[in-house]
Amino acid sequence: MDQNEDKASLERRGLFGMGAAGAALGGAAALFAPRGAMAQTVTRSKLQTIKERGRLIVGTGSTNPPWHFEGADGKLQGMDIDLARLLAKSLFDDPNKVEFVLQGSDARIPSLITDKVDIVVQWMTVTPGRAQQVEFTIPYYREGVSLMMLARGGKYTKFDELKAGGANITIGGMQNVFLEEWVRKALPQAKVDAFESPDATLQALNARRIDAYMADQSAMRWLMQQAPGRFVDSGYGWMPNSYASAVKPGDPVWLNWVNTVYKEAMMGVDFDYFAASYKKWFGIELPTPKVGFPTEFA
């Protein structure tokens, strides 16, 4: 969850303001322009530009499993990477016709606005502030914080047991100014222990110095995938936020096309691909969409 990102990246930008020159052109001089010159120019969609270029350019990261990270072979992998390759496959019938631009979280919006990338697929949280600067696709994951415990040998394996423990339980997490606030939203009486890294928190859990490890649910599920049977999900998550891709504003053709690909991956022709990614990265078995009336419109 990217809640500590620079607040400046969330400030409104004047993307839709009309400059003085534009205002002047809309004034009296336009009344005397030839009829053909007054016709609005149809904006060229990025979809057409990408097709002619022959490859998709995607902004993403490389250090945050299970979303985007380098495997042992040095190649990018993760849920975001799978989605980017699905877009390339849908464009060119070739998942490899994608160029990845690696960037930090603070570069996501600037890289779109300056046309450095065609789309950002980088675990981007949807917020009203960001929606003033970019256009979001439909969400592909609902993130939140959750609790992970030892499957064997620990005192607790369920959220209700932790809650009943009251002040006798200790929750560990990464050092963060919001750590205690986040823990106490779910467990008001719990003790909180902060650690400098995920590895240090995990070591404390394995050593039973803490009763549960609070982390983003996706990160927690990834850890559980790496050590099957060792850890267990508490079964409770809170502080939800949506992850979506983002595109530069003002191109409804491109946005609609990306949304079509994502929607049909979740509900239609590419469901098997999408479900396999969810299983691989999060250990989540997605239910097969029901045949017949589209339930998303029910």
Side-chain angles (χ1 to χ4, degrees), residues 11-43:
E11 292 177 354
R12 175 181 293 187
R13 302 186 184 193
L15 298 177
F16 304 104
M18 181 186 294
L25 287 173
L31 296 175
F32 302 100
R35 187 175 184 85
M38 293 178 66
Q40 292 184 350
T41 302
V42 177
T43 303

Side-chain angles (χ1 to χ4, degrees), residues 37-193:
M38 293 178 66
Q40 292 184 350
T41 302
V42 177
T43 303
R44 177 184 174 87
S45 173
K46 187 171 287 291
L47 179 60
Q48 183 180 356
T49 300
I50 295 166
K51 290 285 286 183
E52 292 176 357
R53 182 200 299 142
R55 74 185 189 286
L56 175 69
I57 303 176
V58 175
T60 194
S62 62
T63 58
N64 296 288
W67 295 102
H68 40 258
F69 64 105
E70 292 184 356
D73 58 1
K75 295 181 180 180
L76 283 175
Q77 56 182 310
M79 186 69 196
D80 285 338
I81 307 306
D82 284 355
L83 287 172
R85 294 198 182 281
L86 176 62
L87 292 172
K89 181 179 181 296
S90 301
L91 282 163
F92 306 109
D93 200 26
D94 185 346
N96 296 312
K97 287 194 174 181
V98 54
E99 174 187 338
F100 292 106
V101 175
L102 302 185
Q103 57 189 15
S105 296
D106 59 348
R108 292 177 298 193
I109 292 176
S111 69
L112 279 175
I113 303 308
T114 59
D115 290 312
K116 184 177 180 180
V117 301
D118 301 318
I119 186 171
V120 166
V121 190
Q122 192 176 357
W123 71 341
M124 193 169 183
T125 299
V126 178
T127 70
R130 288 175 178 162
Q132 297 174 37
Q133 305 170 71
V134 300
E135 292 188 10
F136 285 107
T137 66
I138 57 175
Y140 53 82
Y141 190 84
R142 182 126 307 127
E143 185 64 281
V145 294
S146 191
L147 297 161
M148 184 174 74
M149 296 164 288
L150 292 173
R152 296 180 297 274
K155 294 180 181 179
Y156 310 99
T157 57
K158 298 178 181 178
F159 178 77
D160 287 345
E161 295 172 354
L162 288 171
K163 196 169 184 179
N168 295 318
I169 64 168
T170 301
I171 306 300
M174 280 275 292
Q175 287 178 351
N176 186 306
V177 293
F178 303 110
L179 179 60
E180 289 195 18
E181 176 187 342
W182 293 351
V183 170
R184 295 203 168 105
K185 282 179 180 290
L187 298 167
Q189 296 176 294
K191 297 182 184 72
V192 180
D193 201 350

Side-chain angles (χ1 to χ4, degrees), residues 1 143-147 182 214-217 236-241:
M1 193 180 305
E143 185 64 281
V145 294
S146 191
L147 297 161
W182 293 351
M214 189 191 78
D216 288 349
Q217 190 175 66
Y236 178 73
W238 67 102
M239 294 180 61
N241 59 284

Side-chain angles (χ1 to χ4, degrees), residues 267 289-298:
M267 306 297 294
K290 291 184 179 180
V291 176
F293 185 78
T295 54
E296 62 268 32
F297 299 117

